[in-house]
Amino acid sequence: MTALESFITDMPKVELHIHIEGSLMPAMMFDLSKRNNVTLPYTSVAEIEAAYNFSNLQDFLDLYYQGMSVLHTEQDFYDLTSAYLKKSAEQNVRHTEIFFDPQGHTERGIAFETVLNGITRALEDGKKNLGITSLLIMCFLRHLSEDSAFATLEQALLYKEKIIGVGLDSSENGHPPSKFTRVFAKAREEGFLIVAHAGEEGPPEYVHEALDLLKVDRIDHGNRSLEDDALTARLAKEGIGLTVCPLSNLKLCGVKDMRDHPLKKMIELGLMATVNSDDPAYFGGYMTENYLDVAKALNLSRDDIVTLAGNSIGVSFASDARKAELREDFQKYVA
Ligand code: ADE
Ligand code: ZN
């Protein structure tokens, strides 16, 4: 292992873009399909793994929604979240901000409360037993209607103290942020922080809409912002965090080769870029692998890594007190 690789491996990390349903590893998917009598079109873990070849976001999403259909009980959501936290602890993740997709479950008859209780019970245990702090962000599925998003927001209002923010994910093209302007206005009024996937596959215009109409606090991905110089300058000036996911971009063919990834350019342009795993079970890596692969391909320096990891603390939604702790720990490590 090179010195930079050990530095990355042992570094205390903050994750800001992880879909908990995207951390469902094939082995657990297989076990839960048996536990819950769900028929999957696979007869082994190897067959599941072999299916993970994607040409674009929709290819992945089709398998992602199929995969999450094995999650039925509160215990399933507890086990899923616990496994992600265990792996994260092994990779020195100290704080994580986790997305969940309630409509992916309520649409197939699983109660919102079942999902939320399983996840939050695991997060409480993760804090106690592993020292990982966490926050939960509820995402609306953008391929569904505004009405469905409003109904989901109504449910979240019953559990406001457990959910820090609201986001937007799923099929980007054809489902611009403007479709959800009114839902996000209501979410803001209710005190939720706001994020949205934008510029992953969709055009820079969707990033403009996320900023101007949804009034996001961070952009998830944002890669295609770089096609618009004025937008790029604005993101830099306003210090808007970008939760970038290198292995996801590679697997979903946003970049042909990791050497083409825009992360280095983002750093050079002064953007608040961060490194994250997105859907680690589907894209071949958690936090450490994302850092290692992109650092190697782009020949990132130790300073670049320090910048990226520092950005993650800076644009996180943790309290000022928790951020100060994370920063102090990180600075000790760097020194
Ligand atoms: N849901 C899970 N992962 C996603 C991604 N990368 N983009 C959009 N929606 C998602
Ligand atoms: Zn994502």
PDB file of all heavy atoms in Angstrom, residues 17 19 22 57 60-61 64-65 101 141-142 168-172 197 200 221 245 248 252 278-279 283, ligand 1:
ATOM      1  N   HIS A  17     -23.802  11.039   1.109  1.00  0.00           N
ATOM      2  CA  HIS A  17     -24.683  10.596   0.010  1.00  0.00           C
ATOM      3  C   HIS A  17     -24.651   9.071  -0.053  1.00  0.00           C
ATOM      4  O   HIS A  17     -23.782   8.484  -0.688  1.00  0.00           O
ATOM      5  CB  HIS A  17     -24.198  11.238  -1.306  1.00  0.00           C
ATOM      6  CG  HIS A  17     -25.060  10.943  -2.502  1.00  0.00           C
ATOM      7  ND1 HIS A  17     -25.061  11.760  -3.621  1.00  0.00           N
ATOM      8  CD2 HIS A  17     -25.928   9.943  -2.784  1.00  0.00           C
ATOM      9  CE1 HIS A  17     -25.888  11.273  -4.525  1.00  0.00           C
ATOM     10  NE2 HIS A  17     -26.418  10.160  -4.046  1.00  0.00           N
ATOM     11  N   HIS A  19     -27.710   5.914  -0.165  1.00  0.00           N
ATOM     12  CA  HIS A  19     -29.102   5.450  -0.114  1.00  0.00           C
ATOM     13  C   HIS A  19     -29.079   4.149   0.673  1.00  0.00           C
ATOM     14  O   HIS A  19     -28.429   3.184   0.251  1.00  0.00           O
ATOM     15  CB  HIS A  19     -29.642   5.201  -1.511  1.00  0.00           C
ATOM     16  CG  HIS A  19     -29.580   6.416  -2.392  1.00  0.00           C
ATOM     17  ND1 HIS A  19     -30.652   7.234  -2.610  1.00  0.00           N
ATOM     18  CD2 HIS A  19     -28.554   6.959  -3.087  1.00  0.00           C
ATOM     19  CE1 HIS A  19     -30.296   8.225  -3.408  1.00  0.00           C
ATOM     20  NE2 HIS A  19     -29.024   8.087  -3.718  1.00  0.00           N
ATOM     21  N   GLY A  22     -29.564   1.124  -1.122  1.00  0.00           N
ATOM     22  CA  GLY A  22     -28.465   0.806  -2.038  1.00  0.00           C
ATOM     23  C   GLY A  22     -27.278   0.176  -1.327  1.00  0.00           C
ATOM     24  O   GLY A  22     -26.229  -0.050  -1.935  1.00  0.00           O
ATOM     25  N   LEU A  57     -28.522   5.258 -15.566  1.00  0.00           N
ATOM     26  CA  LEU A  57     -29.197   5.315 -14.263  1.00  0.00           C
ATOM     27  C   LEU A  57     -30.428   4.406 -14.223  1.00  0.00           C
ATOM     28  O   LEU A  57     -30.647   3.686 -13.248  1.00  0.00           O
ATOM     29  CB  LEU A  57     -29.576   6.778 -13.963  1.00  0.00           C
ATOM     30  CG  LEU A  57     -30.398   7.044 -12.703  1.00  0.00           C
ATOM     31  CD1 LEU A  57     -29.687   6.543 -11.442  1.00  0.00           C
ATOM     32  CD2 LEU A  57     -30.694   8.555 -12.571  1.00  0.00           C
ATOM     33  N   PHE A  60     -29.882   0.697 -13.595  1.00  0.00           N
ATOM     34  CA  PHE A  60     -29.613   0.446 -12.177  1.00  0.00           C
ATOM     35  C   PHE A  60     -30.891   0.527 -11.358  1.00  0.00           C
ATOM     36  O   PHE A  60     -31.177  -0.352 -10.534  1.00  0.00           O
ATOM     37  CB  PHE A  60     -28.568   1.446 -11.650  1.00  0.00           C
ATOM     38  CG  PHE A  60     -28.682   1.690 -10.179  1.00  0.00           C
ATOM     39  CD1 PHE A  60     -28.345   0.705  -9.266  1.00  0.00           C
ATOM     40  CD2 PHE A  60     -29.179   2.904  -9.697  1.00  0.00           C
ATOM     41  CE1 PHE A  60     -28.501   0.917  -7.893  1.00  0.00           C
ATOM     42  CE2 PHE A  60     -29.331   3.118  -8.343  1.00  0.00           C
ATOM     43  CZ  PHE A  60     -28.994   2.126  -7.437  1.00  0.00           C
ATOM     44  N   LEU A  61     -31.677   1.584 -11.582  1.00  0.00           N
ATOM     45  CA  LEU A  61     -32.876   1.792 -10.758  1.00  0.00           C
ATOM     46  C   LEU A  61     -33.838   0.605 -10.868  1.00  0.00           C
ATOM     47  O   LEU A  61     -34.455   0.216  -9.870  1.00  0.00           O
ATOM     48  CB  LEU A  61     -33.583   3.094 -11.165  1.00  0.00           C
ATOM     49  CG  LEU A  61     -32.851   4.379 -10.760  1.00  0.00           C
ATOM     50  CD1 LEU A  61     -33.504   5.600 -11.435  1.00  0.00           C
ATOM     51  CD2 LEU A  61     -32.810   4.572  -9.242  1.00  0.00           C
ATOM     52  N   TYR A  64     -32.510  -1.845  -8.517  1.00  0.00           N
ATOM     53  CA  TYR A  64     -32.549  -1.268  -7.160  1.00  0.00           C
ATOM     54  C   TYR A  64     -33.958  -1.419  -6.557  1.00  0.00           C
ATOM     55  O   TYR A  64     -34.110  -1.861  -5.415  1.00  0.00           O
ATOM     56  CB  TYR A  64     -32.117   0.187  -7.292  1.00  0.00           C
ATOM     57  CG  TYR A  64     -32.272   1.104  -6.118  1.00  0.00           C
ATOM     58  CD1 TYR A  64     -31.366   1.092  -5.056  1.00  0.00           C
ATOM     59  CD2 TYR A  64     -33.290   2.073  -6.105  1.00  0.00           C
ATOM     60  CE1 TYR A  64     -31.483   2.010  -4.009  1.00  0.00           C
ATOM     61  CE2 TYR A  64     -33.401   2.989  -5.076  1.00  0.00           C
ATOM     62  CZ  TYR A  64     -32.502   2.947  -4.026  1.00  0.00           C
ATOM     63  OH  TYR A  64     -32.616   3.859  -3.004  1.00  0.00           O
ATOM     64  N   TYR A  65     -34.999  -1.112  -7.343  1.00  0.00           N
ATOM     65  CA  TYR A  65     -36.367  -1.253  -6.825  1.00  0.00           C
ATOM     66  C   TYR A  65     -36.744  -2.727  -6.661  1.00  0.00           C
ATOM     67  O   TYR A  65     -37.409  -3.100  -5.695  1.00  0.00           O
ATOM     68  CB  TYR A  65     -37.376  -0.507  -7.709  1.00  0.00           C
ATOM     69  CG  TYR A  65     -37.146   0.990  -7.685  1.00  0.00           C
ATOM     70  CD1 TYR A  65     -36.863   1.705  -8.843  1.00  0.00           C
ATOM     71  CD2 TYR A  65     -37.159   1.686  -6.474  1.00  0.00           C
ATOM     72  CE1 TYR A  65     -36.608   3.076  -8.808  1.00  0.00           C
ATOM     73  CE2 TYR A  65     -36.906   3.051  -6.424  1.00  0.00           C
ATOM     74  CZ  TYR A  65     -36.632   3.735  -7.596  1.00  0.00           C
ATOM     75  OH  TYR A  65     -36.374   5.075  -7.545  1.00  0.00           O
ATOM     76  N   ASP A 101     -35.869   5.968   0.870  1.00  0.00           N
ATOM     77  CA  ASP A 101     -36.891   6.165  -0.162  1.00  0.00           C
ATOM     78  C   ASP A 101     -38.216   5.582   0.318  1.00  0.00           C
ATOM     79  O   ASP A 101     -38.586   4.464  -0.070  1.00  0.00           O
ATOM     80  CB  ASP A 101     -36.484   5.408  -1.454  1.00  0.00           C
ATOM     81  CG  ASP A 101     -35.400   6.110  -2.254  1.00  0.00           C
ATOM     82  OD1 ASP A 101     -35.271   7.341  -2.148  1.00  0.00           O
ATOM     83  OD2 ASP A 101     -34.696   5.413  -3.024  1.00  0.00           O
ATOM     84  N   LEU A 141     -39.368  10.119  -4.695  1.00  0.00           N
ATOM     85  CA  LEU A 141     -39.060   9.503  -5.984  1.00  0.00           C
ATOM     86  C   LEU A 141     -39.633  10.405  -7.075  1.00  0.00           C
ATOM     87  O   LEU A 141     -40.847  10.589  -7.171  1.00  0.00           O
ATOM     88  CB  LEU A 141     -39.666   8.094  -6.067  1.00  0.00           C
ATOM     89  CG  LEU A 141     -39.172   7.090  -5.023  1.00  0.00           C
ATOM     90  CD1 LEU A 141     -39.808   5.715  -5.254  1.00  0.00           C
ATOM     91  CD2 LEU A 141     -37.650   6.966  -5.043  1.00  0.00           C
ATOM     92  N   ARG A 142     -38.743  10.949  -7.900  1.00  0.00           N
ATOM     93  CA  ARG A 142     -39.166  11.986  -8.852  1.00  0.00           C
ATOM     94  C   ARG A 142     -39.952  11.416 -10.028  1.00  0.00           C
ATOM     95  O   ARG A 142     -40.591  12.193 -10.747  1.00  0.00           O
ATOM     96  CB  ARG A 142     -37.942  12.780  -9.310  1.00  0.00           C
ATOM     97  CG  ARG A 142     -36.982  11.980 -10.163  1.00  0.00           C
ATOM     98  CD  ARG A 142     -35.574  12.557 -10.142  1.00  0.00           C
ATOM     99  NE  ARG A 142     -35.514  13.944 -10.531  1.00  0.00           N
ATOM    100  CZ  ARG A 142     -34.497  14.765 -10.216  1.00  0.00           C
ATOM    101  NH1 ARG A 142     -33.461  14.313  -9.494  1.00  0.00           N
ATOM    102  NH2 ARG A 142     -34.487  16.004 -10.629  1.00  0.00           N
ATOM    103  N   LEU A 168     -34.476  14.531  -3.339  1.00  0.00           N
ATOM    104  CA  LEU A 168     -35.153  14.139  -4.587  1.00  0.00           C
ATOM    105  C   LEU A 168     -34.245  13.180  -5.337  1.00  0.00           C
ATOM    106  O   LEU A 168     -33.091  13.538  -5.626  1.00  0.00           O
ATOM    107  CB  LEU A 168     -35.407  15.399  -5.415  1.00  0.00           C
ATOM    108  CG  LEU A 168     -36.247  15.259  -6.687  1.00  0.00           C
ATOM    109  CD1 LEU A 168     -37.679  14.815  -6.367  1.00  0.00           C
ATOM    110  CD2 LEU A 168     -36.277  16.596  -7.448  1.00  0.00           C
ATOM    111  N   ASP A 169     -34.748  11.973  -5.614  1.00  0.00           N
ATOM    112  CA  ASP A 169     -33.900  11.007  -6.338  1.00  0.00           C
ATOM    113  C   ASP A 169     -34.720  10.220  -7.353  1.00  0.00           C
ATOM    114  O   ASP A 169     -35.834  10.611  -7.675  1.00  0.00           O
ATOM    115  CB  ASP A 169     -33.132  10.101  -5.349  1.00  0.00           C
ATOM    116  CG  ASP A 169     -34.044   9.189  -4.539  1.00  0.00           C
ATOM    117  OD1 ASP A 169     -35.270   9.202  -4.740  1.00  0.00           O
ATOM    118  OD2 ASP A 169     -33.515   8.441  -3.688  1.00  0.00           O
ATOM    119  N   SER A 170     -34.164   9.152  -7.867  1.00  0.00           N
ATOM    120  CA  SER A 170     -34.736   8.310  -8.934  1.00  0.00           C
ATOM    121  C   SER A 170     -34.489   8.924 -10.319  1.00  0.00           C
ATOM    122  O   SER A 170     -33.572   9.729 -10.476  1.00  0.00           O
ATOM    123  CB  SER A 170     -36.220   8.016  -8.666  1.00  0.00           C
ATOM    124  OG  SER A 170     -36.655   6.977  -9.524  1.00  0.00           O
ATOM    125  N   SER A 171     -35.319   8.549 -11.298  1.00  0.00           N
ATOM    126  CA  SER A 171     -35.046   8.829 -12.731  1.00  0.00           C
ATOM    127  C   SER A 171     -35.010  10.334 -13.022  1.00  0.00           C
ATOM    128  O   SER A 171     -36.050  11.005 -12.982  1.00  0.00           O
ATOM    129  CB  SER A 171     -36.150   8.206 -13.578  1.00  0.00           C
ATOM    130  OG  SER A 171     -36.473   6.911 -13.099  1.00  0.00           O
ATOM    131  N   GLU A 172     -33.836  10.841 -13.344  1.00  0.00           N
ATOM    132  CA  GLU A 172     -33.698  12.299 -13.434  1.00  0.00           C
ATOM    133  C   GLU A 172     -34.276  12.878 -14.730  1.00  0.00           C
ATOM    134  O   GLU A 172     -35.061  13.829 -14.684  1.00  0.00           O
ATOM    135  CB  GLU A 172     -32.224  12.705 -13.279  1.00  0.00           C
ATOM    136  CG  GLU A 172     -32.079  14.234 -13.183  1.00  0.00           C
ATOM    137  CD  GLU A 172     -30.651  14.703 -12.991  1.00  0.00           C
ATOM    138  OE1 GLU A 172     -29.714  13.887 -13.082  1.00  0.00           O
ATOM    139  OE2 GLU A 172     -30.482  15.918 -12.764  1.00  0.00           O
ATOM    140  N   HIS A 197     -30.910  15.413  -6.022  1.00  0.00           N
ATOM    141  CA  HIS A 197     -30.033  14.897  -7.073  1.00  0.00           C
ATOM    142  C   HIS A 197     -30.249  15.785  -8.301  1.00  0.00           C
ATOM    143  O   HIS A 197     -31.399  15.989  -8.728  1.00  0.00           O
ATOM    144  CB  HIS A 197     -30.415  13.467  -7.442  1.00  0.00           C
ATOM    145  CG  HIS A 197     -29.972  12.423  -6.455  1.00  0.00           C
ATOM    146  ND1 HIS A 197     -30.262  12.473  -5.125  1.00  0.00           N
ATOM    147  CD2 HIS A 197     -29.238  11.286  -6.638  1.00  0.00           C
ATOM    148  CE1 HIS A 197     -29.737  11.406  -4.521  1.00  0.00           C
ATOM    149  NE2 HIS A 197     -29.108  10.670  -5.418  1.00  0.00           N
ATOM    150  N   GLU A 200     -26.790  14.708 -12.450  1.00  0.00           N
ATOM    151  CA  GLU A 200     -26.175  13.373 -12.485  1.00  0.00           C
ATOM    152  C   GLU A 200     -26.219  12.903 -13.943  1.00  0.00           C
ATOM    153  O   GLU A 200     -25.181  12.661 -14.555  1.00  0.00           O
ATOM    154  CB  GLU A 200     -26.941  12.405 -11.566  1.00  0.00           C
ATOM    155  CG  GLU A 200     -26.362  10.991 -11.536  1.00  0.00           C
ATOM    156  CD  GLU A 200     -27.212  10.015 -10.704  1.00  0.00           C
ATOM    157  OE1 GLU A 200     -28.367  10.329 -10.374  1.00  0.00           O
ATOM    158  OE2 GLU A 200     -26.695   8.908 -10.398  1.00  0.00           O
ATOM    159  N   HIS A 221     -24.623  14.849  -6.478  1.00  0.00           N
ATOM    160  CA  HIS A 221     -23.887  14.713  -7.752  1.00  0.00           C
ATOM    161  C   HIS A 221     -23.506  16.115  -8.269  1.00  0.00           C
ATOM    162  O   HIS A 221     -22.503  16.654  -7.849  1.00  0.00           O
ATOM    163  CB  HIS A 221     -24.653  13.916  -8.817  1.00  0.00           C
ATOM    164  CG  HIS A 221     -24.910  12.496  -8.430  1.00  0.00           C
ATOM    165  ND1 HIS A 221     -23.911  11.547  -8.367  1.00  0.00           N
ATOM    166  CD2 HIS A 221     -26.056  11.862  -8.075  1.00  0.00           C
ATOM    167  CE1 HIS A 221     -24.430  10.397  -7.990  1.00  0.00           C
ATOM    168  NE2 HIS A 221     -25.722  10.560  -7.798  1.00  0.00           N
ATOM    169  N   CYS A 245     -20.087  11.044  -6.320  1.00  0.00           N
ATOM    170  CA  CYS A 245     -20.019   9.602  -6.096  1.00  0.00           C
ATOM    171  C   CYS A 245     -19.255   8.947  -7.239  1.00  0.00           C
ATOM    172  O   CYS A 245     -19.855   8.512  -8.238  1.00  0.00           O
ATOM    173  CB  CYS A 245     -21.436   9.039  -5.998  1.00  0.00           C
ATOM    174  SG  CYS A 245     -22.468   9.886  -4.780  1.00  0.00           S
ATOM    175  N   SER A 248     -20.139   5.301  -8.539  1.00  0.00           N
ATOM    176  CA  SER A 248     -21.481   5.360  -9.121  1.00  0.00           C
ATOM    177  C   SER A 248     -21.409   5.946 -10.534  1.00  0.00           C
ATOM    178  O   SER A 248     -21.985   5.399 -11.474  1.00  0.00           O
ATOM    179  CB  SER A 248     -22.375   6.226  -8.224  1.00  0.00           C
ATOM    180  OG  SER A 248     -23.578   6.557  -8.878  1.00  0.00           O
ATOM    181  N   LEU A 252     -22.524   3.773 -13.780  1.00  0.00           N
ATOM    182  CA  LEU A 252     -23.720   4.210 -14.525  1.00  0.00           C
ATOM    183  C   LEU A 252     -23.329   4.940 -15.812  1.00  0.00           C
ATOM    184  O   LEU A 252     -24.166   5.568 -16.465  1.00  0.00           O
ATOM    185  CB  LEU A 252     -24.615   5.069 -13.636  1.00  0.00           C
ATOM    186  CG  LEU A 252     -25.087   4.382 -12.351  1.00  0.00           C
ATOM    187  CD1 LEU A 252     -26.115   5.232 -11.617  1.00  0.00           C
ATOM    188  CD2 LEU A 252     -25.679   3.003 -12.643  1.00  0.00           C
ATOM    189  N   ASP A 278     -22.974   6.497  -2.574  1.00  0.00           N
ATOM    190  CA  ASP A 278     -24.254   6.416  -3.296  1.00  0.00           C
ATOM    191  C   ASP A 278     -24.983   5.095  -3.001  1.00  0.00           C
ATOM    192  O   ASP A 278     -25.883   5.078  -2.166  1.00  0.00           O
ATOM    193  CB  ASP A 278     -24.040   6.614  -4.804  1.00  0.00           C
ATOM    194  CG  ASP A 278     -25.268   7.147  -5.524  1.00  0.00           C
ATOM    195  OD1 ASP A 278     -26.290   7.412  -4.865  1.00  0.00           O
ATOM    196  OD2 ASP A 278     -25.204   7.311  -6.765  1.00  0.00           O
ATOM    197  N   ASP A 279     -24.604   4.018  -3.694  1.00  0.00           N
ATOM    198  CA  ASP A 279     -25.247   2.714  -3.521  1.00  0.00           C
ATOM    199  C   ASP A 279     -24.153   1.656  -3.482  1.00  0.00           C
ATOM    200  O   ASP A 279     -23.921   0.945  -4.470  1.00  0.00           O
ATOM    201  CB  ASP A 279     -26.206   2.447  -4.692  1.00  0.00           C
ATOM    202  CG  ASP A 279     -27.294   3.501  -4.784  1.00  0.00           C
ATOM    203  OD1 ASP A 279     -28.244   3.428  -3.978  1.00  0.00           O
ATOM    204  OD2 ASP A 279     -27.179   4.413  -5.621  1.00  0.00           O
ATOM    205  N   PHE A 283     -22.398  -0.659  -6.657  1.00  0.00           N
ATOM    206  CA  PHE A 283     -21.364   0.010  -7.453  1.00  0.00           C
ATOM    207  C   PHE A 283     -19.945  -0.430  -7.101  1.00  0.00           C
ATOM    208  O   PHE A 283     -18.976   0.114  -7.613  1.00  0.00           O
ATOM    209  CB  PHE A 283     -21.496   1.535  -7.322  1.00  0.00           C
ATOM    210  CG  PHE A 283     -22.841   2.065  -7.767  1.00  0.00           C
ATOM    211  CD1 PHE A 283     -23.439   3.156  -7.122  1.00  0.00           C
ATOM    212  CD2 PHE A 283     -23.531   1.463  -8.814  1.00  0.00           C
ATOM    213  CE1 PHE A 283     -24.677   3.635  -7.529  1.00  0.00           C
ATOM    214  CE2 PHE A 283     -24.785   1.942  -9.231  1.00  0.00           C
ATOM    215  CZ  PHE A 283     -25.357   3.025  -8.573  1.00  0.00           C
TER     216      PHE A 283
HETATM  217  N1  ADE B   1     -31.526   6.229  -6.083  1.00  0.00           N
HETATM  218  C1  ADE B   1     -30.524   5.499  -5.594  1.00  0.00           C
HETATM  219  N2  ADE B   1     -29.367   5.853  -6.161  1.00  0.00           N
HETATM  220  C2  ADE B   1     -29.647   6.863  -7.027  1.00  0.00           C
HETATM  221  C3  ADE B   1     -28.872   7.660  -7.900  1.00  0.00           C
HETATM  222  N3  ADE B   1     -27.558   7.518  -8.024  1.00  0.00           N
HETATM  223  N4  ADE B   1     -29.510   8.581  -8.644  1.00  0.00           N
HETATM  224  C4  ADE B   1     -30.825   8.726  -8.548  1.00  0.00           C
HETATM  225  N5  ADE B   1     -31.603   8.017  -7.740  1.00  0.00           N
HETATM  226  C5  ADE B   1     -31.014   7.086  -6.980  1.00  0.00           C
END
